[in-house]
Amino acid sequence: MAAPAAKAGNLYVFGDSLSDDGNLYKLTGLPPAPYYQGRFSNGPVWVEYLPGLTGLGFSSANDYAYGGAFTGALTIGTTNAGTNLEAAALPGISTEIASFTAAGGSFGANDVVTLWGGANNYFAYAAAVQANPAAATALVTQGVTTTITQLTQDTTALINLGARMLIVPNLPDLGLTPNFNTTAQGVALGDAFSQAHDAALPTEMQLLHQGTGANIIVLNTEALLNRVVADPSLYGFSNVTNACLYTVSCVTGSIATQNSYLFWDNVHPTTHAQQIIAEYAAASLQGFESLTVPARVNANAAESFAGLLNARLDALQNGASGASYDINGVNGGTADPAHKVAMFLSVTGQFGTRKTEGFDSGYNYRSAVTALGVDMRVNEHLTAGVSLAYNNTHANVSGGGTVQDNGVDVGLYALATSGDAYAKLYAAWDHDNDKTQRNGVIGGITGKPSGTSWSAGGAVGLKFHPTTTIAVGPEFGLGYTQSGLGNYTETGDALLTQSVNSQSYKQLVASAGGTIATSVSLGGVALAPHAGAAAEFLLAGPNQRFSSAFTDVPGVTLTNSYPHQTGSWGLFNLGVSATFTQRFSASLEAATTAFKSDGNDTQVTGNVLWRF
């Protein structure tokens, strides 16, 4: 995966030995060498890899996980097991959260919180089953009910502390671990615990999402382990059944040899497996964060076509058409009654950036639109036209991935004048065919959303004449853009693909500024330079939401929200229209935004026109 830029949020970790970066070791000296620096592995654990893959801030002080932690205080039958498998009084997950709370801990809106636990509960219950096999069914039911209830309480406590994005992995199939996989009875017992746990967890996480709005990614480590065991070489393993720690040739071998094993000891993965878990967690986050990009890119494409139509209106107003006319002789070009209809070819290029905000990926994009159009001078006060265009927009998404939009546009526009006053109107419709691509862990992920975009707007203005060759005046405008996508499902690695519901991205922008225009003759060519500057204001922004779900855990939905836009910014444009003959003219216009905190846009549009 590409190295990501630093994010505003931090990573916080709660759980057991799968996430402990040395906390239990500091208290007890466990686990000893050859365990790696107090980790329950031969190297870093997954949450230590995750910051480098996501850009999240992290320090060891953010890791509250303890090896051996139960999900809460555990009582099995009449036995009080306490809060930790290693020793009853050691911290459990509920203790970790309570300590964090007592220290005044809370989470910011951009933080990611991980919570992984439950296996230690089932190790304790498995011992009870061994002591009383006849009670196996009841103990499995009790163990899963207790564990899921406590995990739900733990997750609720984290949400109450401000967590809005959580990663709560389910459990890998315990029956596949060396602790259980040596006998048929062991495999069956491990399977019973983990399968019941993984069946119940999504329901509770979905209820929490519905009740609180917090997004919870249930990382499917059960499916991941099953895949690794089924195809070890795909993930770089040669042994997926034995524990490296208890195999002399492995534990005394090189790191590469150790990492060819899936399991470090009887229940914990090697650091290579831990890294793979982190890669799936990071890819899941990146996939979720990228879902708002296609509709925003389509809106950029719609704005690019709208910009082309506005450039055409500016050209009409400033003399680059037989259907145009001069306003008090200063806009260059005089309407020729014999040539009321004009056909034009226009090409525009636009590029810009959008910054990453919260859990919405940023991107940089470039858009090219090629249009053919016809306009007609209806009378001396009104010119109207129609344009057909093809747009091609490409975006590179922050953190990796691309969005490609190919669309067909249809636009209508009109210019009306009365003396020194004028009004410009446009409306456009676009059909978008998108293709999204991003890296997974094994292979890529592809989406093919499609939908429609439309935009409409206009401006009114008034010209004043400080000299006979210069016109200046105020201009006020309003523009609306809406981009919609239908339901779609990504293809690729089934552990990372998402099913995405329909969505709609909208924005309403007002502008207030001024324009200046003049006319000169150069070598027999009538030139009409013009410029404008305006302040733009977001009146209604993209606060819409839509839902998505990972296809391997379809029962847990997530809510995607479009990022907040800056409230105001500047817009500047500069252009020139040139009339070469009564039939042939051209124009060139450049426009750019400025002071836009979420990213700026620049557009260059050229027109050539022939009159009939």
Side-chain angles (χ1 to χ4, degrees):
M1 295 179 65
K7 288 188 176 181
N10 296 303
L11 175 67
Y12 290 87
V13 178
F14 299 86
D16 54 26
S17 53
L18 290 169
S19 306
D20 183 354
D21 67 350
N23 291 321
L24 185 67
Y25 181 80
K26 294 172 186 175
L27 285 182
T28 67
L30 297 174
Y35 285 87
Y36 172 78
Q37 298 181 7
R39 278 75 168 171
F40 285 79
S41 190
N42 64 323
V45 294
W46 72 289
V47 292
E48 295 177 280
Y49 289 112
L50 193 56
L53 297 169
T54 60
L56 290 164
F58 180 73
S59 70
S60 184
N62 287 10
D63 191 330
Y64 292 84
Y66 278 85
F70 294 141
T71 52
L74 207 60
T75 299
I76 303 176
T78 60
T79 302
N80 180 4
T83 55
N84 193 291
L85 185 66
E86 298 291 338
L90 289 172
I93 293 176
S94 59
T95 316
E96 298 164 12
I97 298 171
S99 298
F100 178 78
T101 305
S106 62
F107 307 111
N110 297 326
D111 293 335
V112 174
V113 181
T114 69
L115 173 62
W116 196 1
N120 290 316
N121 294 39
Y122 300 132
F123 297 152
Y125 274 96
V129 170
Q130 285 184 322
N132 186 9
T137 300
L139 286 168
V140 169
T141 300
Q142 179 191 345
V144 172
T145 300
T146 299
T147 301
I148 292 297
T149 298
Q150 291 179 341
L151 266 180
T152 303
Q153 293 168 346
D154 295 336
T155 308
T156 301
L158 295 172
I159 292 172
N160 290 339
L161 291 169
R164 307 307 297 164
M165 172 61 76
L166 301 96
I167 299 175
V168 182
N170 63 12
L171 290 181
D173 191 340
L174 297 178
L176 295 176
T177 66
N179 195 55
F180 290 90
N181 68 13
T182 56
T183 67
Q185 294 87 345
V187 170
L189 183 59
D191 288 352
F193 280 119
S194 52
Q195 290 174 8
H197 176 99
D198 294 345
L201 183 64
T203 300
E204 298 304 318
M205 296 302 103
Q206 175 67 3
L207 289 173
L208 281 180
H209 171 69
Q210 292 173 338
T212 68
N215 282 319
I216 304 170
I217 295 176
V218 177
L219 191 66
N220 195 348
T221 62
E222 177 190 23
L224 176 56
L225 177 60
N226 291 341
R227 179 184 290 183
V228 170
V229 170
D231 192 355
S233 61
L234 183 65
Y235 290 91
F237 296 107
S238 60
N239 187 309
V240 294
T241 56
N242 303 115
C244 175
L245 186 63
Y246 308 120
T247 304
V248 173
S249 61
C250 180
V251 73
T252 60
S254 65
I255 289 294
T257 298
Q258 293 175 1
N259 282 336
S260 69
Y261 276 59
L262 173 60
F263 295 104
W264 171 243
D265 62 17
N266 281 338
V267 295
H268 297 105
T270 58
T271 192
H272 176 50
Q274 293 271 14
Q275 183 174 10
I276 292 171
I277 294 169
E279 289 174 353
Y280 271 97
S284 297
L285 270 175
Q286 197 275 333
F288 170 79
E289 293 170 353
S290 69
L291 290 183
T292 64
V293 174
R296 291 189 283 154
V297 168
N298 291 351
N300 294 138
E303 291 164 357
S304 184
F305 183 54
L308 181 149
L309 296 179
N310 276 307
R312 179 64 194 142
L313 287 166
D314 288 341
L316 282 171
Q317 186 181 341
N318 291 284
S321 169
S324 66
Y325 37 83
D326 76 13
I327 299 178
N328 288 357
V330 300
N331 285 325
T334 302
D336 183 349
H339 304 290
K340 293 184 176 182
V341 178
M343 177 176 288
F344 68 89
L345 170 67
S346 182
V347 177
T348 188
Q350 180 169 307
F351 60 91
T353 61
R354 292 295 179 271
K355 297 179 181 178
T356 295
E357 181 179 319
F359 297 105
D360 293 286
S361 296
Y363 58 94
N364 62 74
Y365 75 95
R366 59 182 185 274
S367 178
V369 180
T370 302
L372 287 173
V374 176
D375 45 48
M376 178 178 182
R377 187 185 185 206
V378 180
N379 56 49
E380 62 179 332
H381 298 295
L382 177 64
T383 300
V386 61
S387 178
L388 178 66
Y390 171 78
N391 79 68
N392 181 287
T393 304
H394 178 88
N396 294 312
V397 182
S398 300
T402 61
V403 175
Q404 181 73 37
D405 171 32
N406 295 294
V408 176
D409 306 89
V410 178
L412 303 172
Y413 55 93
L415 171 68
T417 65
S418 178
D420 289 331
Y422 63 89
K424 298 184 287 188
L425 299 171
Y426 70 89
W429 176 89
D430 171 51
H431 179 74
D432 301 293
N433 288 303
D434 294 332
K435 183 177 182 180
T436 66
Q437 292 182 300
R438 70 176 192 277
N439 293 329
V441 178
I442 302 296
I445 310 297
T446 300
K448 293 185 177 180
S450 63
T452 58
S453 301
W454 66 274
S455 57
V460 294
L462 187 64
K463 297 290 187 180
F464 300 97
H465 308 283
T467 73
T468 57
T469 58
I470 296 177
V472 298
E475 184 172 286
F476 303 94
L478 195 66
Y480 178 80
T481 303
Q482 177 174 321
S483 175
L485 291 174
N487 300 338
Y488 68 98
T489 299
E490 297 173 321
T491 59
D493 188 336
L495 300 183
L496 293 171
T497 54
Q498 299 168 94
S499 178
V500 187
N501 288 336
S502 60
Q503 54 188 287
S504 181
Y505 176 91
K506 306 172 184 178
Q507 55 183 359
L508 178 64
V509 176
S511 63
T515 65
I516 182 171
T518 188
S519 62
V520 296
S521 180
L522 184 65
V525 178
L527 298 177
H530 56 276
E536 296 203 318
F537 307 92
L538 183 68
L539 301 182
N543 56 357
Q544 298 81 24
R545 298 181 177 186
F546 61 97
S547 62
S548 61
F550 286 93
T551 56
D552 60 331
V553 191
V556 182
T557 59
L558 296 97
T559 299
N560 306 74
S561 301
Y562 292 111
H564 173 74
Q565 279 193 338
T566 185
S568 60
W569 59 92
L571 176 65
F572 303 92
N573 66 78
L574 179 67
V576 61
S577 300
T579 301
F580 298 96
T581 70
Q582 283 192 336
R583 291 182 178 274
F584 177 65
S585 59
S587 66
L588 182 67
E589 181 166 315
T592 185
T593 61
F595 319 117
K596 199 176 182 196
S597 61
D598 62 339
N600 285 294
D601 309 281
T602 299
Q603 182 172 15
V604 178
T605 305
N607 288 277
V608 292
L609 178 140
W610 186 260
R611 311 169 188 170
F612 295 92

